Amino acid sequence: MNHAPQPTQANGKSGQHPLRPDVESFYHLAHGGFEGKACQGTACFAARHLNPPRWAEAMENNPRVYCLGECFAAPAKGQTKPRPPVKVCSREGIVLGRIAKGGARTLAAYQAQGGYAALAKALAQPPEAILTAVDKSNLRGRGGAGFPTGRKWRSVASQPAGLKYVVANADEGDSGAYIDRYLMEDDPHSLIEGMILAAYAVGAAKGYIYVRAEYPLADTVLRTALADAQAAGWLGARVGGTAFSFELEVYSGHGSYVCGEETSLLRSIEGNRPEVMARPPYPTERGLFGRPTLLNNVETLVNIPWIVTHGAEAYAAIGFSKSRGTKVLSLNSLFNRPGLYEVEFGVTVRHIVEELGGGLRKGGKLKGVIIGGPIIGMIPPHLLDTPLGFEELAAIGAGVGHGGVVAFDEHTSIPDLVEHVFSFGAYESCGKCTPCRSGSGRIEEIFTHALAGDATKADLQECRDLVTALKLASLCGHGTGLARFAESILRYYPTEIEPCFK
Ligand SMILES: Cc1cc2nc3c(=O)[nH]c(=O)nc-3n(C[C@H](O)[C@H](O)[C@H](O)COP(=O)(O)O)c2cc1C
Ligand code: SF4
């Protein structure tokens, strides 16, 4: 077996080493610095009128703090105590079932609710049976792109034998999304069991959970859960008494949105400067330390034990069109009923806004809603009857993304929102592509002038050209997502944009 170099970590965690200076300079939070700070993520931006002093404080932060996973209480200030309301609104509580009943933070609580039974069942079957189940379930990745999970798993499984990795993407940087945070904090073993099942299916011996710096409680809870799973024989040598071995550890991130992108995340674990890499080769072929790597989002992996326990057919029977199963949505504080909701694909955006969220607080008038943003298209009120589905939302220039739902009311002017999103985009760019590195900052600057009444029609045309460049010449979804956001704004909100340019 190949022995890859061990990753270098920072932040004073056990077994962590200092970052190289050229790597350290990449990260905003290489040395922490978000604790107790006010947040300036998009959900907090949408709610800034609810607490103007806190928003003013957030805007002063350097380094900036973007999304603490407390969007239900936005504008937020880093705390670990508040919990969001949690509701299962699907036939089956596949992902949120345990959390809706109070959670399963300990191994004993997880096992008392049937935890690790799926792993025991799987270990009695060949890996191929698990690959087939995941394929047939039609599960698609919940990290944003909706890529078929079974196809990704098969690609890793089919690579030549040798060291392979499984990595959980727990970077959850989309402002408005706080799904993975509470899955990890309140049901950590569901992720661990999903990862062990994935490793068994694809033949991986080693895994990492990449937890973002802004989620310190999730980091701690997972480290304890891993030790407990190891002591119970579910991790390490001879998992469940079989010949299969799997080592799993937490890697603590350093505060970079773009590290949620898969190639950037893998470079980060390696201890390299986490710039996005061109594909192919895909991580499934040449990933972490050059080895075949399966990388999935936390929510994707949490679906796996249910699929193994209940069967692919039962899973595929839930959902709608080409989007099967359930999706967890996290609603921001502008709703009357913010919180985590598990729904079946196919519910309309109107249902999410009006029935689940109960409309906007204080009778607010909906200006638009972003699902899975901020680097994704905005949904205007006249398209609320669009169903929640990967293809259906893409057809209107929006998307499912990771499922963070941020509503905007009449307190948000659209040019203000554009300036906010491009400021975020420029700040978090990895700098590899010119349109993203320089163009997003230029669009922010033009909108700052436009808001001051100092921009012309030629400036608007420059923005349009920059958006085209972002769309065509970006190496990753950060740049193309910014373009998608801008296109939706130019298409659906011309009456708010054009008067700002004389
Ligand atoms: C800028 C950027 C940020 C991303 N952030 C995340 C993230 O925080 N969590 C995540 O799971 N996927 C994120 N993704 C998507 C990942 O690159 C990858 O597609 C995903 O983790 C794969 O898992 P899945 O197949 O289970 O969805 C991001 C992509 C981009 C371009
Ligand atoms: S689009 Fe932006 S974040 Fe993505 S690789 Fe290019 S510069 Fe980096």
Side-chain angles (χ1 to χ4, degrees), residues 258 276 428-433 436-437 474-480:
V258 88
V276 171
E428 295 291 358
S429 168
C430 86
K432 201 153 182 174
C433 327
C436 177
R437 183 183 62 243
S474 292
L475 193 55
C476 87
H478 188 61
T480 54

Side-chain angles (χ1 to χ4, degrees), residues 141-143 152 169 171-173 257 260-262 295-297 300 477:
R142 305 302 196 233
K152 195 187 269 189
N169 188 340
D171 202 44
E172 197 172 60
Y257 175 74
E261 194 280 339
E262 57 185 11
L295 183 141
N296 276 129
N297 166 259
T300 311

Side-chain angles (χ1 to χ4, degrees), residues 123-139:
L123 291 172
Q125 303 170 54
E128 174 59 34
I130 313 307
L131 290 174
T132 303
V134 175
D135 248 344
K136 285 200 172 156
S137 71
N138 289 318
L139 173 66

Side-chain angles (χ1 to χ4, degrees), residues 133 136-137 306-307 310-318:
K136 285 200 172 156
S137 71
W306 195 95
I307 292 170
H310 298 268
E313 290 73 19
Y315 190 87
I318 298 169

Side-chain angles (χ1 to χ4, degrees), residues 270-314:
E270 289 170 350
N272 291 320
R273 206 173 152 81
E275 283 169 4
V276 171
M277 308 274 285
R279 282 151 294 182
Y282 290 93
T284 50
E285 300 149 12
R286 271 180 65 84
L288 191 60
F289 301 113
R291 303 299 308 166
T293 302
L294 175 67
L295 183 141
N296 276 129
N297 166 259
V298 169
E299 184 185 342
T300 311
L301 289 159
V302 168
N303 276 277
I304 302 297
W306 195 95
I307 292 170
V308 171
T309 301
H310 298 268
E313 290 73 19

